[in-house]
């Protein structure tokens, strides 16, 4: 077997087909300020995020080092190793010089790690403590060519030190040659130290000789040391050329930022020649050393590959900041802001740069030039920037800002829509008071007065919430609220707002189709042009009437035999099969907002392939591996019969009544039409409540609290579609149990079009909008057994739960009342 | 029916696909009606989303 290391998830060969093996170096408290700062804040999750970035940028192995003065290295490392080993797919390199710490980390790491590192600095004490651990846990190890005299400088000394280590590790402790990764060390040739002019040559020769004289061992090198002291854009070139030369010499692995390696093909012949001259100390001009020629060249020229960076430097910081917001790019925003703060006040930066940038983002979105996920990325940069600027702002500065109160109305727990409005408004410079979900009109009135807001925004997803909004209008009127009310929500239409809500309130009532419509309304308010929503029948037209006026429901088909009567729970459902029931189009385009809009079909396919699918794969992985999803079902079959518009359901001795609405227009359908009357012999009805558990909801809200707007929308959308997928899946399970699963859809379109026998109707949806039915459903199914409870408003908690009444009748399909 | 009128559209809310070749007979839309020619009152027959919730299918 080829020498490999492994994480919980995968094995990685130490000798890559296309070398070298890249070791990510940014999760090192000594090498990365960013990582160190997060560690000092005890923010392990943020540390993990840096590791994930390294993984994403192409590292094969991740170096992890938490040794920092004043910290408890062992405690930090144990915490980080635990976290990283479950969330990072690539194997870890345990970077510590403390044997006890190395041993504890190896003990808990669920794979084959690399230890970084051993050496002979202390004459051979620590190496003899670490080698037995390597043997016990089967780890590989980085061995530095450091001896009692210090770091080996010459090839001879490097090779001799490596040999000494080899004899101890292989000879005394029985490690295999392939377990050793020799780091022949390198020193900078960029600082003008005459004794180091051949440092690259010594290292390259040592690599060649170690590989030749100790067959089977591996070699590794911290490549970027070679160029310390040189200008950044020239370092990238020199590091890349040196890496290439080292691989030619036999280097197996490199500790380097994978994102900063240039392929040789991207380096011009002239740049290549200068780097090689410097590395091999080729003197071509008696008056100028290779180093002088190298430095002079890069003072005069910026290599082509660095053109973008140079262009960045040439731009004014005002423009850079504007572009960072528009591009949703967090890279360097702090530096840019600190430069701007030397020239302008914090408030001026916000008002003259940040807010116009967000306004531009809104315009791009409005024109269909960018999609919602990218707007959220911009808002994240905006939020970070404002947070950065806040300590620099005088309190007085924030006095004259338009204030908006946001709430989800009474009885409704859905907050994604309200929170999106919050994100867009607050990041466009407005003061938003987001007072939460399930808010009674009384509380809204009280808070609006107390906070002296200029506008009130109400949100709600449910059909019932539209009614709540309508009914609370007179309350706002009586209380003398006196400010415009903006309304938004899935069940609202401009017609409903104009005809049902507007008449109850004497101030503007405005329908907002999305967060940007809300933003426009606030701007209109400031401009004095905010208008109440109106509805003109002549212009807008009426909703289409169904084409088929008469549907005769025939109740002569056989009633299926239920597998049991009463209710059961299933708690050990494997989440994996649910993913194939996810409606990917609805997820990508609808929930996530990755719509094609103005893009060409090719550009859209690219977006889906490069951005959306990897994100989706990551969520699926997390759903399973991080235990974010735990599907459970409560369901049951019951005898029943219909009497007019009421379904009588028999559960043991108890009878539960389910009244359903009937269409006012032809074909006048009602759910009860699909069930037999007592005279026809009665019927069988089924119900289910399915949930994917509370964990994903917690994770979603944690993202919102951390201002990770983009991921918040993504994870929420994923959880909603996965819950729907579970309902689809469970409905199919129940059709099979009823013996009516003969004609099943072959693809998702078939599920969308209900190409199966029967139908399921979700409570709160058009055919059965009344959530009060949940009372009876809960009495029968007892979903408390799977952790699902009801709110006062009859909504189910956790949010990622769905319920339905299942009809087996072949003519039962979706319809709206 | 030419290439543009034959273009299918997908409802981003529920995944329903409007196929001009089929139309939507349940709602009085005859086969051969391009998406662009649908009356503006027409909504998704599955989830009642409005036409601006439809995306062209590639």
């Amino acid at each position: 077997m080829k020498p490999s290391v492994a994480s919980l998830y995968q094995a990685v060969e130490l000798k890559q087909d296309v070398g070298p093996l890249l070791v990510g170096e940014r999760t090192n408290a000594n090498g990365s300020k960013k990582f160190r700062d997060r560690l000092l804040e005890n923010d392990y999750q943020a540390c993990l995020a840096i590791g994930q970035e390294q993984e994403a940028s192409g590292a094969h192995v991740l170096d992890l080092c938490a040794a920092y003065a004043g910290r408890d290295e062992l405690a930090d490392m144990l915490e980080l190793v635990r976290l990283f080993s479950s969330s990072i797919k690539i194997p870890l390199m345990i970077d510590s010089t403390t044997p006890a710490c190395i041993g504890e980390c190896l003990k808990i790491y669920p794979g084959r790690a690399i230890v970084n590192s051993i050496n002979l600095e202390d004459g051979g004490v620590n190496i003899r403590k670490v080698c037995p651990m390597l043997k016990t846990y089967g780890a590989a190890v980085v061995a530095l060519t450091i001896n009692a005299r210090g770091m080996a400088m010459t090839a001879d000394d490097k090779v001799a030190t490596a040999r000494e280590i080899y004899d101890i590790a292989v000879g005394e402790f029985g490690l295999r040659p392939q377990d050793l990764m020799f780091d022949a060390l390198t020193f900078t040739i960029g600082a003008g130290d005459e004794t180091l002019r051949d440092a690259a040559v010594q290292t390259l020769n040592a690599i060649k000789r170690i590989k030749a004289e100790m067959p089977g061992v591996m070699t590794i090198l911290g490549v970027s040391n070679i160029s310390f002291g040189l200008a950044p854009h020239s370092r990238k070139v020199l590091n890349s050329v040196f890496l290439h030369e080292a691989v030619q010499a036999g280097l197996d692995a490199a500790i380097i930022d994978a994102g900063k390696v240039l392929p040789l093909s991207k380096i011009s012949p002239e740049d290549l020649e200068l780097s090689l001259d410097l590395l091999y100390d080729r003197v071509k001009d008696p008056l100028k050393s290779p180093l002088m020629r190298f430095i002079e060249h890069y003072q005069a020229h910026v290599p082509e590959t660095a053109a973008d960076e140079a262009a960045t430097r040439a731009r004014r910081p005002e423009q850079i900041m504007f572009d960072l917001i528009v591009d949703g790019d967090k890279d360097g925003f702090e530096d840019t802001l600190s430069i701007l703060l030397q020239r302008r006040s914090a408030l001026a930066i916000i008002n003259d740069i940040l807010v116009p940038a967000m306004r531009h983002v809104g315009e791009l979105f409005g024109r269909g030039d960018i999609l919602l996920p990218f707007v959220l990325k911009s808002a994240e940069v905006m939020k970070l920037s404002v947070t950065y600027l806040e300590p620099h702002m005088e309190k007085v500065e924030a006095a004259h800002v338009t204030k908006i109160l946001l709430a989800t109305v009474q009885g409704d727990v859905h907050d994604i829509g309200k929170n999106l409005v919050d994100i867009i408004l607050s990041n466009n410079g407005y003061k938003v008071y987001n007072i939460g979900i399930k808010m009674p009109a009384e509380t809204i009135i009280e808070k609006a007065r107390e906070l002296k807001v200029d506008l009130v925004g109400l949100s709600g997803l449910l059909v019932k919430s539209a009614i709540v909004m309508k009914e609370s209008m007179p309350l706002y009127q009586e209380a003398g609220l006196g400010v415009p009310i903006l309304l938004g929500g899935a069940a609202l239409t401009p017609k409903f707002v104009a005809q049902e809500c507007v008449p109850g309130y004497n101030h503007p009532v405005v329908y907002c189709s999305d967060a940007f419509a809300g933003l426009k309304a606030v701007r209109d308010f400031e401009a004095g042009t905010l208008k109440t929503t109106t509805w003109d029948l002549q212009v807008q037209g009426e909703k289409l009437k169904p084409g088929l006026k008469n549907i005769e429901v025939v109740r002569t088909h056989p009633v299926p035999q239920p597998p049991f009567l009463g209710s059961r729970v299933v708690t050990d459902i494997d989440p994996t099969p649910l993913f194939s029931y996810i409606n990917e189009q609805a997820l990508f385009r609808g929930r996530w907002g990755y719509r094609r809009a103005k893009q060409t079909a090719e550009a859209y396919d690219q977006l889906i392939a490069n951005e959306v699918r990897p994100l989706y794969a990551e969520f699926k992985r997390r759903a399973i591996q991080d235990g974010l999803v735990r599907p459970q079902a409560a369901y049951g079959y019951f005898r029943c019969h219909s009497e007019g518009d009421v379904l009588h359901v028999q559960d043991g001795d108890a009878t539960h009544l389910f009244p359903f609405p009937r269409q006012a227009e032809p074909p006048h359908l009602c759910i009860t039409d699909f069930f037999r009357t007592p005279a026809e012999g009665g019927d069988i009805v089924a119900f289910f409540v399915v949930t994917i558990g509370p964990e994903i909801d917690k994770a979603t809200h944690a993202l919102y609290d951390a201002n990770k707007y983009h991921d918040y929308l993504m994870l929420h959308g994923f959880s909603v579609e996965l819950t729907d997928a579970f309902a689809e899946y469970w409905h199919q399970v129940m059709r099979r149990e009823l013996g009516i699963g003969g004609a099943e859809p072959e693809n998702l379109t078939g599920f969308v079009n209900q190409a199966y026998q029967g139908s399921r109707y979700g409570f709160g949806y058009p055919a059965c909008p009344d959530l009060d039915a949940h009372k009876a459903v809960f009495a029968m199914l007892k979903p408390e057994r799977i952790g699902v409870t009801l709110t006062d408003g009859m909504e189910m908690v956790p949010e990622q739960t769905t319920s339905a009444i299942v009809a087996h009748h072949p003519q039962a399909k979706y319809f709206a009342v | 029916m030419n290439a543009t009128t034959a273009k299918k559209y997908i409802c981003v809310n529920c995944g329903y696909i409007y196929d001009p070749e089929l139309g939507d007979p349940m709602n009085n839309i005859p086969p051969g009606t391009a998406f662009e020619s649908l009356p503006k009152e027409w909504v998704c027959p599955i989830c009642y989303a409005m036409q601006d919730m439809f995306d062209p299918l590639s």
Side-chain angles (χ1 to χ4, degrees), chain A residues 494 511 539-548 551 583 585-586 589-591 595-597 601 604-605 721 749 752-753 766 814-816, chain B residues 7 10-17 24-29 39-43 45-48 50-58:
Chain A
Y511 169 75
V539 182
Q540 317 266 7
E542 268 285 10
K543 199 178 126 183
L544 274 198
K545 300 278 190 292
L548 297 181
I551 296 177
N583 187 334
Q585 296 297 334
R589 300 179 195 243
R591 304 288 174 194
R595 296 184 58 173
R596 192 174 132 196
Y604 183 69
D605 289 345
E721 283 301 325
T749 308
V752 171
N753 295 330
Y814 293 139
F815 63 94
Chain B
K7 200 189 268 175
I10 185 164
C11 170
V12 306
N13 191 51
C14 76
Y16 165 82
I17 294 169
D24 178 15
M26 283 286 281
N27 290 298
N28 284 335
I29 306 296
K40 59 177 174 252
E41 318 82 78
W42 184 86
V43 294
I46 301 287
C47 73
Y48 310 97
M50 292 193 256
Q51 283 174 38
D52 61 2
M53 292 294 280
F54 277 73
D55 234 20
L57 263 191
S58 26

Side-chain angles (χ1 to χ4, degrees), chain A residues 180-193:
Chain A
L180 296 174
M181 303 182 80
F182 282 110
D183 185 340
L185 306 175
T186 195
F187 305 95
T188 181
I189 51 174
D193 184 336

Side-chain angles (χ1 to χ4, degrees), chain A residues 468-494:
Chain A
V468 170
M469 289 177 193
K470 168 189 170 177
E471 290 173 350
S472 59
M473 287 299 145
L475 299 178
Y476 298 125
Q477 176 66 28
E478 270 170 45
L481 186 63
V483 300
I485 297 178
L486 312 181
L487 301 177
L492 283 178
T493 62

